[in-house]
Amino acid sequence: MSIQWFPGHMAKTRRLLLEQLKWVDVVLELADARIPASSRNPMLHKLLGNKARLLILNKADLADVNWTSRWLRYLKVSSPVFAVSATTGVGIKQIVPELERMVVAKQAKQAEKGIRPQMIRVMIVGIPNIGKSSLINQLTGGAQAKVGNKPGVTRGNQWVRIHDRVELLDTPGMLWPKFEDLDVGRKLAALGAVKDDVFDIEELSTWIIDWLNLYSPNSLSRYQIADSEVNLESLGRKRGCLIHGGRVDTLKAAQIFLRDLRMGQLGPITMDHINDTTF
Ligand SMILES: Nc1nc2c(ncn2[C@@H]2O[C@H](COP(=O)(O)OP(=O)(O)O)[C@@H](O)[C@H]2O)c(=O)[nH]1
Ligand SMILES: [Mg+2]
């Protein structure tokens, strides 16, 4: 696939991430609760090696709660996982106690060797727009409490104390989104995780509307289109996106639709589903 889904340079991003990873004990991997699979980077696993990872499904306020609990059950088989909202703060309080639990064994080993418990150093990683900065703000309460932040000193890693035993790297690790699968790309674009110039937004909107018609028809009820199928045409007509001759401005309709979707105006939506019925 030749489409440029990611503004950065992948090799450089990867190098930077590996450099940052050296300093941390635990990685907070951010995914989007609305697309818990599509919003993760498949390479991260390899980059992490055996480093501890806490998975966080952010934007849970915009996701379908039933799907979120299914995803949590499914994902916790592989790593500890929480659902949170970095804007409302819901779920954030679970993070620090879990970080402490995660390093208990390591610190017990160190204690046996007579090493005093060290600060737990953590960093946040995730693809663009996943909520990394918002989560840093939640955890630091606005970053007043910088550790080792001396004016005039060359900028390096800045650590912010978020608990008496936990420090957070104030620069999140950037990951690139998955590139391989067109539908993954469409879901990422649908929810604003890749830039709007990657896809034709009328085609994208049509794909999403078809998806919703199939899997989540209630989401479209907001438009109160009862007499015909919901599509860009009927949606635009309903929302008054008309050009002369009474034709529908489908570009305008697509813009309105995408804005509604991303702002949660269509209600909670989860676009990655689990096929395995045991979860
Ligand atoms: N509704 C909702 N919006 C969020 C949440 N977390 C982040 N956002 C929004 O998502 C956008 C990107 O967030 P940001 O923290 O800048 O992401 P970053 O690029 O990973 O640093 C911003 O508009 C945030 O307000 C969340 O939990 N819920
Ligand atoms: Mg940011």
Side-chain angles (χ1 to χ4, degrees), residues 174-195:
M174 184 72 94
L175 293 174
W176 58 96
K178 286 183 192 176
F179 291 86
E180 303 82 16
D181 182 336
L182 186 56
D183 283 357
V184 167
R186 286 172 168 142
K187 290 176 184 176
L188 287 164
L191 303 180
V194 301
K195 282 200 290 182

Side-chain angles (χ1 to χ4, degrees), residues 58-62 84-88 127-135 172:
N58 188 39
K59 309 198 186 187
D61 55 307
L62 300 174
V84 311
S85 168
T87 45
T88 68
I127 62 173
N129 266 324
I130 203 85
K132 298 181 295 299
S133 301
S134 306
L135 184 61

Side-chain angles (χ1 to χ4, degrees), residues 101-117:
R101 259 194 298 282
M102 290 173 78
V103 298
V104 161
K106 185 178 165 187
Q107 299 208 328
K109 247 187 229 160
Q110 289 176 329
E112 270 172 31
K113 294 184 202 151
I115 302 170
R116 277 195 318 135

Side-chain angles (χ1 to χ4, degrees), residues 207-270:
W207 183 87
I208 302 165
I209 291 169
D210 288 348
W211 192 97
L212 293 173
N213 268 318
L214 197 58
Y215 294 107
S216 183
N218 280 343
S219 306
L220 296 167
S221 61
R222 162 189 175 83
Y223 296 111
Q224 298 183 311
I225 300 166
D227 46 340
S228 74
E229 190 191 329
V230 182
N231 53 33
L232 278 189
E233 193 77 23
S234 58
L235 196 152
R237 197 166 294 285
K238 195 80 188 186
R239 295 294 295 263
C241 311
L242 300 177
I243 36 183
H244 48 249
R247 292 203 355 260
V248 173
D249 182 347
T250 47
L251 177 61
K252 182 99 179 287
Q255 287 164 339
I256 287 177
F257 168 71
L258 285 175
R259 201 185 55 212
D260 287 349
L261 175 72
R262 291 168 185 168
M263 292 182 61
Q265 299 289 320
L266 308 188
I269 292 172
T270 299

Side-chain angles (χ1 to χ4, degrees), residues 88-131:
T88 68
V90 168
I92 301 292
K93 282 203 176 79
Q94 305 170 91
I95 293 175
V96 167
E98 181 60 29
L99 290 170
E100 292 194 288
R101 259 194 298 282
M102 290 173 78
V103 298
V104 161
K106 185 178 165 187
Q107 299 208 328
K109 247 187 229 160
Q110 289 176 329
E112 270 172 31
K113 294 184 202 151
I115 302 170
R116 277 195 318 135
Q118 310 279 305
M119 275 287 176
I120 306 167
R121 290 192 148 185
V122 301
M123 74 180 282
I124 292 168
V125 307
I127 62 173
N129 266 324
I130 203 85

